[in-house]
Amino acid sequence: MAGDLDGLGYRDKNVVVTGGASGMGEAVARILGELGAQVHIVDIQQPKVDHAGYYRCDLSDFDQVRATAATLKAIAPIHFLFPCAGLPPHIKGALYCMRVNYIGTRLLVESLLPSLADGAGIALISSDAAMGWQKNIAQSLEMLSISDPDEALAWVEADPERRLRDGYTTSKEMLVVWVAKAAVALGNERRIRFNAIGPCPTKTAFMDQSADVISQEFLDAWPYPSLGRIATAEDQAWPLVLLNSPLNGAVTGAFLYTDQGFATGVMTGAIDASFMMGSQRQQA
């Protein structure tokens, strides 16, 4: 399927994908392999797709994260990084969710920066659950200023009701704000591009794990104007792969909604979001 797309710039390049053992990350890893990349997967589970290397790592364990980044130095230069790992709060709680989705992810990316090639691309998965990130910008920037992961965790724990909320939405907002701010320095100093996508409900193992808090009735009520159905992992993987391609050289610091028009539809009143009242919003 991807054999005639060499122009995207992935052939023979070193690529790291976190969360590449399932869901959107697995789809990303598969597509990149079809595009000729040397795909290195970081995950807590053994990946099923073809890969050049596998590095077992729990993003909630900061020592493991640092050790994994040190091991990945051996494949430098890394040309593309795809942080796709993430989980909902009901698996191990809101704090654990924040620890993995934002704090551990940020630690891995920042620890890998010395191994990234100048001009590299980083593209991660946030969520359209972060569509209200602007209204929480002051608090998000306060957390963003804390680079040490243990200190960031302690800051959240000091006022969890305000700083953590459900864990998922807050962590996804943090990813968006981090991308938006860090992209400037990364671009100016090393021409590294940094972007994010914001998926809608997507049929993955993540969604299956959320079945006890996200009802089928809720999913059936969701508007799917562009596809007419719930998105698949591949529907989300392709925009991420395309976004990180060098062909998008002028795009950095972007948050691309890959949500079938949901966020902008709500913002403009084209979509009535009242069906979400009282329902869970852990969508991606």
Side-chain angles (χ1 to χ4, degrees):
M1 178 175 62
D4 60 347
L5 297 177
D6 277 2
L8 291 176
Y10 291 108
R11 183 163 297 281
D12 298 324
K13 300 300 184 181
N14 288 325
V15 178
V16 173
V17 180
T18 75
S22 63
M24 299 180 207
E26 181 180 59
V28 167
R30 182 184 300 108
I31 289 169
L32 290 169
E34 292 173 357
L35 291 169
Q38 296 296 308
V39 181
H40 298 263
I41 295 176
V42 176
D43 204 302
I44 200 168
Q45 302 177 66
Q46 179 75 36
K48 299 178 286 294
V49 298
D50 291 341
H51 53 277
Y54 166 59
Y55 311 79
R56 189 185 186 283
C57 181
D58 182 346
L59 291 177
S60 73
D61 185 326
F62 301 149
D63 288 337
Q64 269 192 44
V65 171
R66 294 186 182 95
T68 300
T71 301
L72 283 165
K73 287 180 181 178
I75 70 166
I78 297 168
H79 302 101
F80 301 97
L81 176 56
F82 290 86
C84 299
L87 75 168
H90 59 277
I91 300 299
K92 291 190 177 181
L95 188 63
Y96 188 86
C97 178
M98 172 65 81
R99 187 176 184 123
V100 170
N101 291 2
Y102 167 66
I103 301 175
T105 294
R106 177 180 173 181
L107 177 61
L108 181 63
V109 171
E110 293 183 343
S111 298
L112 283 175
L113 285 176
S115 300
L116 262 62
D118 289 347
I122 309 170
L124 59 78
I125 298 175
S126 178
S127 169
D128 69 355
M131 59 187 284
W133 67 270
Q134 295 96 332
K135 69 177 183 293
N136 298 309
I137 187 68
Q139 178 176 289
S140 295
L141 288 173
E142 185 178 354
M143 185 175 185
L144 188 66
S145 69
I146 306 171
S147 58
D148 180 88
D150 293 305
E151 292 179 10
L153 201 62
W155 181 85
V156 171
E157 290 179 302
D159 188 358
E161 184 175 348
R162 184 172 67 89
R163 296 172 177 172
L164 183 60
R165 290 179 280 148
D166 66 5
Y168 183 81
T169 300
T170 313
S171 66
K172 293 300 186 177
E173 288 178 357
M174 285 304 306
L175 292 175
V176 173
V177 175
W178 173 39
V179 164
K181 186 165 186 180
V184 176
L186 288 172
N188 284 332
E189 295 165 10
R190 298 184 55 195
R191 297 297 182 261
I192 292 174
R193 296 183 305 110
F194 195 15
N195 293 295
I197 65 168
C200 57
T202 301
K203 185 61 177 174
T204 62
F206 180 113
M207 186 62 71
D208 293 339
Q209 292 171 337
S210 304
D212 57 337
V213 294
I214 302 179
S215 69
Q216 188 60 47
E217 180 183 6
F218 175 73
L219 292 176
D220 289 343
W222 196 278
Y224 302 109
S226 69
L227 293 172
R229 56 168 173 78
I230 192 169
T232 65
E234 287 72 21
D235 291 327
Q236 301 295 348
W238 272 109
L240 195 67
V241 169
L242 296 171
L243 183 62
N244 216 14
S245 166
L247 294 179
N248 285 313
V251 182
T252 195
F255 178 36
L256 174 66
Y257 288 113
T258 55
D259 65 350
Q260 303 197 46
F262 180 78
T264 50
V266 171
M267 293 172 191
T268 59
I271 291 176
D272 180 0
S274 61
F275 74 94
M276 300 179 67
M277 300 303 295
S279 299
Q280 288 288 338
R281 293 184 61 234
Q282 283 80 47
Q283 296 123 342

